[in-house]
Amino acid sequence: SKALNASGYNAYVTVFELKGRTWNRVRVGFYDTRETATQVGNYIRKKYRVQDPWVVKPSREETSEHIRR
Protein backbone atom coordinates (compact mmCIF):
# COMPACT_ATOMS: atom_id res chain seq x y z
CA SER A 1 0.00 0.00 0.00
CA LYS A 2 2.98 2.34 0.49
CA ALA A 3 3.76 2.39 -3.24
CA LEU A 4 0.12 3.06 -4.05
CA ASN A 5 -0.05 5.89 -1.51
CA ALA A 6 3.17 7.37 -2.88
CA SER A 7 1.51 7.37 -6.33
CA GLY A 8 -1.43 9.36 -4.99
CA TYR A 9 -3.93 6.57 -4.34
CA ASN A 10 -5.88 6.29 -1.09
CA ALA A 11 -4.59 2.82 -0.18
CA TYR A 12 -5.00 1.08 3.16
CA VAL A 13 -4.96 -2.43 4.62
CA THR A 14 -7.88 -4.27 6.18
CA VAL A 15 -7.47 -7.48 8.15
CA PHE A 16 -9.98 -10.33 8.32
CA GLU A 17 -10.09 -13.97 9.37
CA LEU A 18 -11.42 -16.84 7.30
CA LYS A 19 -11.36 -20.47 8.40
CA GLY A 20 -8.79 -19.79 11.08
CA ARG A 21 -6.41 -17.86 8.82
CA THR A 22 -5.66 -14.15 8.98
CA TRP A 23 -5.75 -12.30 5.67
CA ASN A 24 -4.67 -8.78 4.77
CA ARG A 25 -6.42 -6.92 1.97
CA VAL A 26 -4.92 -3.89 0.30
CA ARG A 27 -7.84 -1.61 -0.50
CA VAL A 28 -7.79 1.43 -2.78
CA GLY A 29 -10.63 3.92 -2.86
CA PHE A 30 -12.91 5.68 -2.99
CA TYR A 31 -14.62 6.23 -6.36
CA ASP A 32 -17.94 7.78 -7.39
CA THR A 33 -18.87 4.99 -9.80
CA ARG A 34 -18.22 1.29 -10.21
CA GLU A 35 -17.00 2.00 -13.74
CA THR A 36 -14.28 4.35 -12.49
CA ALA A 37 -13.27 1.88 -9.77
CA THR A 38 -13.01 -0.88 -12.39
CA GLN A 39 -10.85 1.31 -14.66
CA VAL A 40 -8.52 2.19 -11.77
CA GLY A 41 -8.40 -1.48 -10.72
CA ASN A 42 -7.39 -2.54 -14.23
CA TYR A 43 -4.68 0.12 -14.34
CA ILE A 44 -3.32 -0.93 -10.94
CA ARG A 45 -3.44 -4.60 -12.00
CA LYS A 46 -1.24 -3.87 -15.00
CA LYS A 47 1.12 -1.34 -13.39
CA TYR A 48 1.68 -3.18 -10.08
CA ARG A 49 1.13 -6.74 -11.38
CA VAL A 50 -1.80 -7.40 -9.06
CA GLN A 51 -3.79 -10.55 -9.70
CA ASP A 52 -7.53 -10.20 -10.12
CA PRO A 53 -8.47 -6.95 -8.36
CA TRP A 54 -12.01 -6.95 -6.95
CA VAL A 55 -14.28 -3.97 -7.11
CA VAL A 56 -16.50 -3.84 -4.02
CA LYS A 57 -18.63 -1.31 -2.24
CA PRO A 58 -17.09 -0.73 1.20
CA SER A 59 -19.17 -0.47 4.33
CA ARG A 60 -19.98 2.97 5.71
CA GLU A 61 -17.71 2.22 8.66
CA GLU A 62 -14.76 1.41 6.39
CA THR A 63 -15.42 4.49 4.27
CA SER A 64 -15.57 6.83 7.25
CA GLU A 65 -12.42 5.29 8.74
CA HIS A 66 -10.25 5.47 5.62
CA ILE A 67 -11.55 8.27 3.41
CA ARG A 68 -9.15 11.17 2.91
CA ARG A 69 -10.68 14.51 3.69
Side-chain angles (χ1 to χ4, degrees):
S1 71
K2 287 181 183 180
L4 290 166
N5 280 319
S7 293
Y9 293 100
N10 181 24
Y12 56 94
V13 176
T14 61
V15 179
F16 72 102
E17 291 207 21
L18 179 67
K19 298 181 182 179
R21 292 184 65 187
T22 301
W23 296 85
N24 295 289
R25 290 183 191 147
V26 175
R27 307 282 286 227
V28 178
F30 297 89
Y31 300 96
D32 292 331
T33 67
R34 184 175 187 86
E35 180 181 1
T36 301
T38 299
Q39 291 172 349
V40 172
N42 287 333
Y43 178 78
I44 288 171
R45 178 179 53 82
K46 291 174 187 172
K47 182 172 181 171
Y48 295 96
R49 297 185 179 141
V50 174
Q51 282 187 327
D52 304 323
W54 291 7
V55 174
V56 298
K57 185 174 183 175
S59 68
R60 286 183 186 186
E61 180 181 276
E62 183 176 334
T63 302
S64 66
E65 187 176 336
H66 296 286
I67 198 164
R68 288 184 181 165
R69 298 193 193 289

